[in-house]
Amino acid sequence: RAELQQQPRASLQQQPRASLQQQPRASLQQQPRASLQQQPRPDEFWGRLARSRLEWQKEFQVVRDHDMEKSAFRWFPDGQLNVSVNCVDRHARQHPDRVALLWEKDEPGQEERVTYSH
């Protein structure tokens, strides 16, 4: 165990790989603001966004249910999601050859890439 503790840990601040750097990403400042205060009909806005970006096991009818006095907030309370479907399965269907898991081994430069299909 002492031997394991003495090994340097990889920095969490490492620069992304070149292939990842090439993918354009909008900063938070560049993305349109999506706050409740700026939406004239927030339930319609968030409902449309949730339907377009997630696969629902059970479609929701209520976007938000909240009680300000009790500080109780519920989003899409009558809907049902499957996390596995939304985080893995739909990406596997659309892009089976994309890397799903990048395993960086203990030795520098050693890695293993696993795609959604394998």
Side-chain angles (χ1 to χ4, degrees):
R1 286 187 177 208
E3 187 176 286
L4 290 176
Q5 291 174 349
Q6 292 174 359
Q7 293 179 355
R9 292 184 179 200
S11 169
L12 297 177
Q13 302 287 331
Q14 289 179 351
Q15 293 294 320
R17 298 195 185 290
S19 63
L20 296 176
Q21 289 175 338
Q22 294 171 359
Q23 297 175 4
R25 289 190 175 184
S27 71
L28 290 176
Q29 291 79 18
Q30 294 170 323
Q31 294 180 4
R33 292 193 163 265
S35 71
L36 290 174
Q37 293 82 12
Q38 295 180 341
Q39 299 300 323
R41 293 183 298 275
D43 287 355
E44 185 179 309
F45 171 80
W46 289 110
R48 187 172 52 250
L49 196 64
R51 285 185 178 97
S52 69
R53 299 207 176 179
L54 297 169
E55 290 185 22
W56 293 85
Q57 299 298 100
K58 178 183 171 197
E59 185 71 28
F60 62 88
Q61 301 302 313
V62 177
V63 172
R64 60 187 169 130
D65 177 24
H66 62 276
D67 184 336
M68 296 297 276
E69 290 180 19
K70 294 180 181 178
S71 294
F73 302 90
R74 297 181 334 146
W75 288 89
F76 315 108
D78 57 341
Q80 186 176 18
L81 294 171
N82 181 317
V83 174
S84 177
V85 168
N86 281 285
C87 293
V88 178
D89 298 352
R90 68 188 180 112
H91 299 290
R93 280 193 307 269
Q94 292 172 353
H95 308 285
D97 295 327
R98 282 195 182 165
V99 175
L101 175 68
L102 177 61
W103 176 25
E104 292 187 358
K105 299 180 179 184
D106 292 335
E107 294 297 320
Q110 288 188 353
E111 64 183 33
E112 193 168 327
R113 294 170 184 253
V114 179
T115 65
Y116 286 105
S117 62
H118 281 121

